[in-house]
Amino acid sequence: MRFVGVGVFATALHYGLYLLLRGWMPLSVAYTVGYVVSFVANFYLTAYFTFHSAPSWRKLAGMAGAHGVNYLLHISLLNLFLWLGVRSALAPIPVFAIAVPVNFLLVKYVFRRS
């Protein structure tokens, strides 16, 4: 449940920043800025709150690797849904529905091994 709470917060932060920034910059850039800010918050909350462990460079590297893969999935899906005609305000929603479970598995693996 802690992972779900952190995930909901990180996803809401990402989506909120995307919505705020999409009028001022290209959609992919707005999405990326939201992703990066969300990643930093997610890392610290995952370490301290979800797994009750101190952040470390090793965990950061592992989580960054997992999120690198996840980011590529996110940005590819976002552009696919935009190409399919989904409105820019709604396009991230199906992206989150697909990518968040994948991210859960990757991050769980990193934090359990580190």
Side-chain angles (χ1 to χ4, degrees):
M1 289 310 297
R2 291 186 307 258
F3 187 88
V4 171
V6 169
V8 167
F9 174 78
T11 302
L13 178 62
H14 181 189
Y15 186 52
L17 287 171
Y18 166 77
L19 289 176
L20 181 70
L21 298 172
R22 71 188 172 101
W24 297 328
M25 57 186 65
L27 295 176
S28 292
V29 175
Y31 195 85
T32 300
V33 170
Y35 191 92
V36 170
V37 172
S38 173
F39 167 76
V40 172
N42 191 356
F43 173 69
Y44 284 103
L45 289 171
T46 297
Y48 286 122
F49 182 69
T50 303
F51 293 104
H52 300 291
S53 65
S56 68
W57 288 109
R58 180 178 176 162
K59 290 175 187 169
L60 178 62
M63 192 162 169
H67 273 267
V69 170
N70 195 47
Y71 171 76
L72 294 175
L73 178 62
H74 270 258
I75 204 71
S76 298
L77 289 171
L78 175 71
N79 285 296
L80 173 65
F81 287 119
L82 290 171
W83 180 78
L84 290 172
V86 177
R87 291 190 355 238
S88 67
L90 299 177
I93 294 172
V95 173
F96 296 141
I98 295 166
V100 167
V102 172
N103 187 47
F104 169 76
L105 296 172
L106 293 172
V107 171
K108 182 178 175 183
Y109 175 77
V110 166
F111 272 83
R112 296 274 189 219
R113 287 198 66 213
S114 297

